[in-house]
């Protein structure tokens, strides 16, 4: 249903099913690296990867790994591929839309560098410390029920709004 409701983003919206998420992310990251090194022509297309509830996918949890492998044929870890997509992808037309339920899970799922790459964030009520870690302000701790903050990092603007349920499919058409 999600892919149908965000058709305004274009045809390149990828919402991988749970059983294919690791392979899908590795494939997208491989395409991104091909565009970066010039082995794949950069045709200017934009691809949106949408992952709802990232915390549910254990194979996507980022782990600090300081070991080095000389095996070039080793399959890429989906967690590393996801972090590469988040940090290097936007300049090549690969964008990520991700939801995570708690700040602790943000730290478990993606690297610090990747967290800083998300320019636009939506926060619901949380502790002042968690809010400050995500948007440099404790504003999310003051939110009540049915309120959220949309934070635009480049402009530094934080706007409080009322999130509503997703409109029916017919509303978009």
């Amino acid at each position: 249903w999600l892919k149908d409701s965000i058709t305004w983003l274009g045809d390149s919206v990828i919402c991988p099913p749970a059983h294919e998420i690791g392979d899908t992310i590795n494939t997208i990251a491989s395409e991104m690296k091909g565009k970066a090194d010039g082995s794949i022509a950069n045709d200017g297309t934009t691809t949106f990867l949408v992952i709802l509830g990232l915390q549910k996918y254990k194979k996507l949890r980022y782990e600090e790994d300081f070991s080095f492998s000389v095996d070039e044929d080793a399959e890429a870890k989906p967690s590393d591929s996801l972090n590469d997509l988040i940090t290097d992808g936007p300049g090549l037309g690969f964008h990520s839309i991700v939801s995570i339920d708690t700040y602790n899970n943000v730290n478990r799922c993606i690297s610090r560098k990747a967290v800083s790459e998300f320019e636009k964030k939506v926060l619901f009520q949380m502790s002042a410390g968690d809010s400050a870690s995500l948007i440099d302000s404790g504003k999310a701790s003051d939110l009540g029920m049915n309120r959220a903050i949309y934070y635009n990092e480049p402009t530094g603007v934080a706007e409080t709004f009322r999130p509503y349920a997703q409109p029916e499919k017919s509303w978009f058409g």
Side-chain angles (χ1 to χ4, degrees):
W1 62 266
L2 175 68
K3 189 170 182 174
D4 292 338
S5 66
I6 55 176
T7 55
W8 55 272
L9 287 174
D11 292 330
S12 298
V13 177
I14 300 170
C15 303
H19 65 281
E20 296 175 7
I21 198 159
D23 292 335
T24 302
I25 289 172
N26 281 341
T27 301
I28 297 168
S30 176
E31 183 181 339
M32 179 197 69
K33 288 176 183 172
K35 287 184 177 183
D37 67 18
S39 61
I40 297 175
N42 192 345
D43 56 3
T45 58
T46 301
T47 301
F48 292 92
L49 172 65
V50 180
I51 303 173
L52 299 178
L54 179 61
Q55 73 281 354
K56 295 184 287 186
Y57 305 104
K58 290 183 182 181
K59 66 173 71 171
L60 298 181
R61 288 189 181 164
Y62 182 75
E63 296 175 12
E64 296 284 342
D65 186 12
F66 297 106
S67 64
F68 296 96
S69 174
V70 292
D71 184 8
E72 293 180 13
D73 296 330
E75 185 175 328
K77 292 180 5 185
S79 59
D80 293 339
S81 295
L82 177 61
N83 273 277
D84 289 345
L85 279 168
I86 293 169
T87 57
D88 303 330
L92 296 166
F94 295 90
H95 302 278
S96 303
I97 300 171
V98 177
S99 72
I100 303 176
D101 64 352
T102 66
Y103 180 66
N104 284 336
N105 281 331
V106 168
N107 290 327
R108 282 188 196 111
C109 294
I110 54 181
S111 69
R112 288 183 195 176
K113 182 176 187 231
V115 171
S116 68
E117 293 295 321
F118 286 97
E119 291 182 346
K120 297 177 177 33
K121 301 172 184 157
V122 174
L123 279 63
F124 291 88
Q125 188 176 32
M126 61 179 55
S127 73
D130 292 352
S131 175
S133 296
L134 288 168
I135 63 170
D136 296 329
S137 166
K139 287 184 178 183
S141 67
D142 297 331
L143 295 172
M145 292 292 294
N146 302 315
R147 295 274 192 270
I149 291 177
Y150 166 73
Y151 181 70
N152 186 338
E153 182 135 356
T155 63
V157 174
E159 182 179 333
T160 303
F161 69 98
R162 281 188 150 196
Y164 291 94
Q166 180 173 335
E168 295 295 320
K169 200 166 148 181
S170 61
W171 184 83
F172 291 98

